[in-house]
Amino acid sequence: MRPKLGGCLIIVNTKTLESVPGMGAGFARALIPSRASQARMPQHDLRVADVKQDVGRLADYCRVTGFTLRNHVPPTWLHVLTFPLQVHLLGDKDASVRLAGAIHVSNTMTLHRPVSSQDVLELGVGTTDLRPHRKGALVDLTSRVRVDGEVAWEGVSTYLAQGMSTPGEVEERERTPFTPVTPQARWRLSASLGREYRRVSGDPNPIHTSRIAARGFGFPRPIIHGMWTHARALAALEGQLTDSYTAQVDFLKPIFLPGTVGMVSQRNAEGINVDVTDKRGEKAHLRMQVRPHG
Amino acid sequence: MTHNAVIVGGNRIPFTKAGGRYADASNHDLLTAALDGLVARFGLSGQRLGEVAGGAVLKHPRDFNLTREAVLSSALSPDTPACDLQQACGTSLETTVYIANKIALGQIESGIACGVDSASDAPITVSDGLKKALLKASRARSVGERAKAFAAIRPRHLAPLAPGVAEPRTGLSMGEHQALTTEAWGVTREEQDEIAAASHHNLAAAWDDGFFDDLVTPYLGVARDTILRPDTSVEKLARLKPAFGGPEGTMTAGNSTALSDGAASVFLASESYARENKLPMLARVVDAEVAAVDHPGGADLLLGPVAAAGRLLERQGLTLDDFALIEIHEAFASTVAATLKAWNDEDFCRARGLSGPIGTFDHSKLNVAGSSLAAGHPFAATGARIVPTLAKLLHAKGPGSRGLISMCAAGGQGIVAIVEAV
């Protein structure tokens, strides 16, 4: 059971999978265009227990995203581990929202306590209410990582299903306006970065690796995975990250491959803000806020 | 005005065989892990230290600022400066001396000496022919010029080059050099296997006693040195085939160090800084000396530290009797055996410019918590493994207890240091 917005409770079924599903079949289903105009999501959660982490793949992930390979894993790695469950859920017959074509618009993750690469994990993914957006419907996929029964990490990935509708009022979210900055750092993203991140994340979306597929979705060139940019931005703060924090990102504009972007970070009383911008610092691609707990 | 430089403590990660559990970790990862543990142990998060000095023997060109980068990845204040320093296997004893000297001179009040090596992450480079063609192509001003540069590449240029394990001037590997020394000094197979067995037994006993609980932090699920074989024995070691010195050779994989991955660190501070910050003081760094021998001219490659030990003891007016514990780095068991013989050889010592033999000592004082044969030898990390281990052992023996460290290094070099319990 979990609380529904508004205070009443709804019963949620949990389907337990034997192992983390492969992403090929689920992704293929998620690629089939939906003819539905109403956004629908399955009403069950997915759960996989006893997930051991592959240190070799973690090392590769760290190499591609800029993290140091430590005892404690980056929280973005935990997102990567739960991602196949998100794909599986979106491939469900009750889902009208398709992953391919849905836009990852924002993401929030909270690390409640450090998670070791040796920890055996229980992964869970579910959805919360759909809500309307100017351009379609927003859906939140919620993910949870438990260690020894205790929630160690939680994530909320918000996707925009373009052109779909769902009942309710459009909620206008206020964003702090971006003012141009002088980048502190410049990242050169190689043409092969999409393939490298696909290897470590398992995300097979061809929009990140194929020019033809990218064109099919209206992009002139492949775009890097938003979660790569998120991870890279968090890795830039590495030494300053605490044991427990929340990282919230908005994905504002796609980054084309190959490409060069700028980065600025700024520490304030609440935490650290990072902007990944275009080369000159005039437009923001990603805005991240990191807020330490305790 | 000089200040006492004291060893506050240390931290390392367990050492593993190359290609083992740390096969996917880089020097940067390993060194950061060693620093992370040290920072956690002494509450250094967010603190600016005077300097961090570290190094690696097998180093990628991309790691030109290895130690500084590890500092930036660690929780130390990013305002902490760092430098890279390298003296082959003597590296992190040399970084210890460097930090201690700066503290003694009042230039800094605190610092970390460290070292790391990964034989799993060894830099593979390209041939000279390919390098020249690539550089020429990058300087080319036209497509034609670039094509011409690439056209000069031949298939033979494409073979990657692993880092050399041979001494550049002799073409002999370290094991082959030591095999010559083994022969020249008449070191027997039994002597070597006894040293190797003792190293494993001593290290195993130290682990079982919990001695390393405040000196080692697990990394990637490895909680103990993986090369350690607690149940080895002289009999078991005697069954191994020779690895160096031909079919009649006495040096085996069991009495030679294995290629290893690991990192280690030492936290040093001035006595006043340690008092103000309520930090432990295990031992002070008294003095150190480096030496080298003419190995291309035929001298024993790994007996460089003998002259350093002799000169250091003469300068300090000390004899081996003044030491409670002695650490001789086990590059090979035969290095330890030959060093002990050389210390007691009047002609050899006089030829090194010493006034007489260094002498002998009770071998129960030697490498009492095990050494490189059992722990493994990630080249640049070994000094920073030995220093905190010895400081802790001496501290337990009481104030004034002295320890001597002798380490051989490639290039016919050696570094020796004295520490004394506070």
Side-chain angles (χ1 to χ4, degrees):
Chain A
M1 284 201 303
R2 67 182 169 194
K4 192 185 170 184
L5 292 177
C8 56
L9 291 170
I10 55 167
I11 307 293
V12 174
N13 296 319
T14 297
K15 285 187 188 170
T16 301
L17 305 177
E18 286 298 308
S19 61
V20 177
M23 261 193 285
F27 203 85
R29 277 196 301 279
L31 271 177
I32 302 165
S34 169
R35 263 175 277 149
S37 61
Q38 278 286 316
R40 271 193 335 270
M41 283 302 290
Q43 284 302 304
H44 63 267
D45 285 358
L46 293 175
R47 171 185 169 276
V48 187
D50 300 325
V51 177
K52 289 198 177 76
Q53 301 171 72
D54 173 350
V55 173
R57 184 175 156 216
L58 171 65
D60 203 6
Y61 174 84
C62 289
R63 214 65 78 221
V64 172
T65 52
F67 281 103
T68 299
L69 177 66
R70 327 174 94 98
N71 285 330
H72 295 145
V73 304
T76 46
W77 161 254
L78 299 171
H79 169 91
V80 162
L81 295 183
T82 58
F83 187 64
L85 294 179
Q86 294 195 355
V87 172
H88 195 78
L89 201 62
L90 286 168
D92 191 276
K93 58 177 171 37
D94 291 338
S96 68
V97 174
R98 292 291 180 247
L99 186 67
I103 301 167
H104 195 181
V105 288
S106 61
N107 203 89
T108 303
M109 59 177 71
T110 296
L111 183 68
H112 293 289
R113 66 165 185 77
V115 175
S116 158
S117 61
Q118 307 303 309
D119 284 338
V120 177
L121 312 175
E122 184 195 308
L123 310 177
V125 161
T127 61
T128 56
D129 293 337
L130 292 152
R131 34 187 217 288
H133 181 273
R134 284 182 291 112
K135 290 180 181 168
L138 289 174
V139 55
D140 284 341
L141 292 183
T142 60
S143 309
R144 219 163 282 110
V145 171
R146 284 191 169 86
V147 180
D148 298 329
E150 206 182 303
V151 177
W153 175 93
E154 284 176 291
V156 180
S157 301
T158 304
Y159 293 91
L160 168 64
Q162 278 181 297
M164 286 196 163
S165 61
T166 192
E169 291 284 303
V170 174
E171 225 176 284
E172 283 303 331
R173 207 181 125 204
E174 286 216 8
R175 282 211 180 105
T176 329
F178 174 78
T179 45
V181 289
T182 304
Q184 293 160 355
R186 189 165 52 217
W187 303 338
R188 292 177 186 84
L189 282 58
S190 73
S192 60
L193 187 61
R195 285 192 295 280
E196 286 168 34
Y197 190 74
R198 177 179 65 189
R199 185 182 70 233
V200 297
S201 67
D203 181 345
N205 193 337
I207 199 173
H208 304 298
T209 48
S210 150
R211 194 173 273 246
I212 295 162
R215 284 208 189 114
F217 287 94
F219 298 115
R221 303 205 305 270
I223 60 171
I224 190 57
H225 305 70
M227 290 308 290
W228 176 86
T229 315
H230 182 359
R232 181 69 192 82
L234 205 56
L237 306 179
E238 201 179 35
Q240 303 169 62
L241 297 172
T242 51
D243 282 354
S244 172
Y245 55 90
T246 295
Q248 195 277 326
V249 296
D250 287 319
F251 303 105
L252 302 177
K253 275 166 64 67
I255 300 171
F256 299 117
L257 296 175
T260 302
V261 294
M263 193 277 291
V264 279
S265 73
Q266 193 212 349
R267 187 178 267 279
N268 58 30
E270 292 120 56
I272 309 169
N273 295 342
V274 177
D275 288 324
V276 178
T277 66
D278 65 340
K279 209 161 34 179
R280 289 180 199 82
E282 288 165 355
K283 287 173 187 156
H285 288 290
L286 170 145
R287 307 200 77 186
M288 178 172 78
Q289 298 187 328
V290 178
R291 300 290 175 259
H293 298 187
Chain B
M1 167 85 188
T2 59
H3 308 259
N4 272 336
V6 297
I7 298 154
V8 174
N11 183 63
R12 67 177 176 97
I13 55 174
F15 293 171
T16 66
K17 198 167 238 178
R21 302 277 296 274
Y22 301 160
D24 297 309
S26 64
N27 273 340
H28 174 89
D29 296 329
L30 300 176
L31 185 56
T32 305
L35 293 178
D36 275 349
L38 193 72
V39 166
R41 180 159 300 137
F42 295 103
L44 301 177
S45 181
Q47 293 212 29
R48 180 180 67 82
L49 300 186
E51 192 170 2
V52 179
V57 173
L58 301 173
K59 196 161 125 174
H60 283 273
R62 64 159 191 254
D63 286 335
F64 67 94
N65 229 348
L66 174 67
T67 312
R68 170 65 181 151
E69 290 299 327
V71 166
L72 284 172
S73 284
S74 79
L76 288 170
S77 159
D79 296 344
T80 301
C83 77
D84 273 33
L85 195 155
Q86 200 256 65
Q87 194 181 48
C89 306
T91 295
S92 57
L93 185 52
E94 191 61 273
T95 57
T96 302
V97 172
Y98 170 91
I99 293 290
N101 285 352
K102 284 203 171 192
I103 291 170
L105 287 171
Q107 294 171 347
I108 56 174
E109 283 207 292
S110 62
I112 295 172
C114 51
V116 57
D117 254 296
S118 166
S120 303
D121 181 38
I124 304 291
T125 51
V126 300
S127 68
D128 271 358
L130 182 57
K131 183 182 74 186
K132 279 183 189 146
L134 291 174
L135 289 174
K136 205 167 178 182
S138 75
R139 287 192 301 263
R141 286 162 185 272
S142 68
V143 177
E145 269 184 42
R146 190 165 300 141
K148 213 173 139 190
F150 282 125
I153 299 170
R154 297 284 170 267
R156 67 187 146 83
H157 291 152
L158 299 179
L161 304 176
V165 289
E167 278 294 324
R169 284 166 190 274
T170 63
L172 300 183
S173 72
M174 203 162 271
E176 289 168 325
H177 263 289
Q178 185 58 38
L180 297 176
T181 301
T182 307
E183 176 84 32
W185 289 86
V187 179
T188 65
R189 172 76 183 258
E190 293 67 37
E191 281 176 84
Q192 295 175 57
D193 287 346
E194 275 167 22
I195 289 169
S199 185
H200 284 277
H201 297 156
N202 287 343
L203 185 72
W207 272 110
D208 290 345
D209 287 351
F211 178 80
F212 292 113
D213 289 355
D214 59 356
L215 292 174
V216 181
T217 309
Y219 181 54
L220 300 183
V222 182
R224 266 194 188 203
D225 302 311
T226 65
I227 291 165
L228 173 62
R229 294 284 170 271
D231 57 352
T232 196
S233 63
V234 176
E235 294 71 39
K236 281 183 186 168
L237 288 163
R239 292 202 284 268
L240 297 171
K241 288 198 187 77
F244 300 105
E248 300 304 307
T250 55
M251 292 169 62
T252 68
N255 58 39
S256 308
T257 48
L259 282 174
S260 322
D261 298 344
S265 62
V266 190
F267 183 23
L268 295 134
S270 70
E271 216 173 304
S272 55
Y273 180 96
R275 274 187 221 291
E276 273 165 34
N277 292 281
K278 300 190 170 52
L279 293 167
M281 289 187 279
L282 298 178
R284 67 187 182 94
V285 179
V286 177
D287 199 359
E289 175 92 15
V290 287
V293 293
D294 180 18
H295 69 285
D300 296 294
L301 180 77
L302 300 183
L303 293 186
V306 175
R311 295 205 291 260
L312 181 60
L313 295 183
E314 285 180 13
R315 177 163 72 234
Q316 289 289 329
L318 297 170
T319 69
L320 291 178
D321 293 337
D322 297 312
F323 291 89
L325 295 170
I326 291 174
E327 289 279 337
I328 301 177
H329 159 53
E330 297 167 340
F332 301 91
S334 132
T335 314
V336 178
T339 300
L340 296 174
K341 289 177 199 285
W343 278 5
N344 203 31
D345 188 302
E346 172 137 21
D347 293 342
F348 183 84
C349 289
R350 285 196 190 279
R352 301 272 83 78
L354 306 176
S355 59
I358 295 169
T360 56
F361 65 95
D362 171 3
H363 291 183
S364 67
K365 297 177 184 175
L366 179 66
N367 299 348
V368 298
S371 187
S372 305
L373 287 168
H377 174 37
F379 309 120
T382 294
R385 171 186 65 77
I386 295 173
V387 171
T389 300
L390 179 62
K392 185 178 168 182
L393 289 165
L394 291 170
H395 188 70
K397 288 191 174 287
S401 307
R402 285 193 201 90
L404 183 71
I405 305 170
S406 169
M407 295 188 73
C408 57
Q413 307 204 89
I415 175 164
V416 175
I418 297 172
V419 293
E420 184 183 301
V422 177

